[in-house]
Amino acid sequence: MKRNGQRTGWMGLGAMLLTLVLAGCGSVTRGPAGENGKLPHAAERREIKLGLALGGGAARGFAHLGVIQVLEEAGYRPSHVVGTSAGSLVAALYASGKSTAELARLAETMQEADITDWMLPILNRGALRGEALAKYVNTQVGGRSLEQMKIPLGIVATDLGSGESITFRRGNTGAAVRASSAVPAVFQPVRIGDREYVDGGLVAPVPVRQARDMGANFVIAVDISSDPEGNPSGDTFQILMQTFAIMGKSINTLALKDADFVVRPALSGVKSADFGARMRSIEAGRVAMRAMLPSLKARLAEFEAGR
């Protein structure tokens, strides 16, 4: 009887201890963890899918290189790159895997003759065929198609028939950049399949929405557009660029509202056709991005924390 009593006592004590242990475990789950049952230090952080949206601006596009250089130096590499017009050229070269040093060397050695092929505009709806630009791009990206890029790439153009934007993500890279850069009356419209395409800047001066559509959840927009600056010179190209600046201003205002972060290099006085100002434009991109790095780091930290 005594032995049975001892056994009963030990069993009762064991049950009491088990109850206390279970109660203690329950209190940890209900207490500091909150409703999701997780401890605060175990909270998951939001994954950042960084999209880089590079806008159009003809020769001012060299500024994109400076922005990319500073981002890379700070350890930020985008998961998606989308470009319009001049931005499409830089986006393609960068997405192909070229380092910032290689991009800088290309900028220094690129000649306007490398990407221009003049013809009679009256007969062919444009003074430039654009074949030289397509060839240059395909050579520089090593013949990679859009879907073969090391960074997922989107190239934005405008469907000449419908007026809608299209983001090329598959196919010939040079042809897509040529279409995205086909300024009406300067470049011939580009036929891809059974459709014709012209400059993407008509519908998406900075392709922020297109970067989101590709999967980016944090978009850095680089705006190199110019505000209308009085009466342009008698040069036809400058008049066209002025027209685009006027048309694109309201479109850009709406598009940039959807960006998480906007970089605007100081390019006042740099004309759209001024290839001679390439180094000045690159430096303007570097200066603008370097000045905004602390703000970008803070914004990314807030986004990652879900704030």
Side-chain angles (χ1 to χ4, degrees):
M1 293 294 293
K2 186 175 180 181
R3 184 176 300 172
N4 288 339
Q6 278 185 326
R7 185 164 51 229
T8 302
W10 283 112
M11 290 175 64
L13 179 60
M16 183 176 68
L17 288 173
L18 179 60
T19 301
L20 288 172
V21 169
L22 290 174
C25 291
S27 67
V28 171
T29 302
R30 290 192 302 269
E35 295 179 358
N36 62 5
K38 293 183 180 181
L39 294 174
H41 67 269
E44 295 181 2
R45 300 184 73 81
R46 188 191 306 182
E47 179 186 2
I48 296 176
K49 296 178 182 178
L50 187 63
L52 190 59
L54 305 181
R60 298 158 66 94
F62 287 106
H64 291 312
L65 299 180
V67 172
I68 290 171
Q69 286 174 353
V70 174
L71 286 173
E72 287 263 343
E73 290 164 4
Y76 297 117
R77 187 170 177 81
S79 59
H80 303 81
V81 184
V82 189
T84 289
S85 198
S88 74
L89 171 59
V90 177
L93 298 177
Y94 180 49
S96 72
K98 290 190 181 299
S99 67
T100 54
E102 289 173 318
L103 290 174
R105 283 195 294 272
L106 274 181
E108 291 174 6
T109 59
M110 181 189 292
Q111 299 298 318
E112 192 171 355
D114 294 336
I115 59 173
T116 56
D117 40 13
W118 296 95
M119 63 190 307
L120 292 176
I122 297 175
L123 301 177
N124 294 283
R125 299 191 295 165
L128 298 172
R129 287 191 297 269
E131 292 173 4
L133 173 61
K135 182 180 179 181
Y136 177 84
V137 170
N138 283 331
T139 298
Q140 295 302 330
V141 303
R144 289 184 181 86
S145 61
L146 293 168
E147 64 270 26
Q148 293 174 327
M149 293 297 171
K150 295 185 178 181
I151 304 174
L153 171 66
I155 302 296
V156 180
T158 302
D159 185 317
L160 184 58
S162 68
E164 296 178 351
S165 69
I166 181 171
T167 304
F168 291 107
R169 298 186 59 185
R170 301 184 63 82
N172 187 286
T173 304
V177 171
R178 176 186 175 190
S180 181
S181 306
V183 179
V186 176
F187 283 88
Q188 282 187 330
V190 178
R191 181 170 289 276
I192 298 177
D194 61 350
R195 310 292 293 178
E196 284 190 316
Y197 300 95
V198 291
D199 197 299
L202 293 173
V203 288
V206 184
V208 176
R209 176 179 60 80
Q210 289 78 3
R212 291 204 188 282
D213 290 344
M214 284 183 64
N217 59 9
F218 189 102
V219 179
I220 299 175
V222 186
D223 178 17
I224 58 168
S225 63
S226 59
D227 289 328
E229 297 180 356
N231 292 323
S233 66
D235 181 84
T236 302
F237 184 75
Q238 289 298 336
I239 294 173
L240 280 169
M241 291 300 100
Q242 177 82 337
T243 303
F244 278 126
I246 295 168
M247 291 172 55
K249 190 171 183 180
S250 58
I251 301 174
N252 233 10
T253 301
L254 292 174
L256 293 174
K257 285 182 178 179
D258 194 35
D260 297 283
F261 200 82
V262 180
V263 182
R264 292 186 178 90
L267 294 166
S268 178
V270 178
K271 301 297 183 183
S272 299
D274 191 359
F275 273 74
R278 69 188 74 186
M279 303 313 295
R280 175 183 167 188
S281 296
I282 293 173
E283 184 58 23
R286 287 187 61 85
V287 169
M289 190 66 255
R290 196 184 299 119
M292 298 187 74
L293 267 182
S295 298
L296 176 61
K297 291 178 180 178
R299 181 70 189 91
L300 284 169
E302 291 175 356
F303 181 85
E304 192 176 23
R307 297 197 296 271

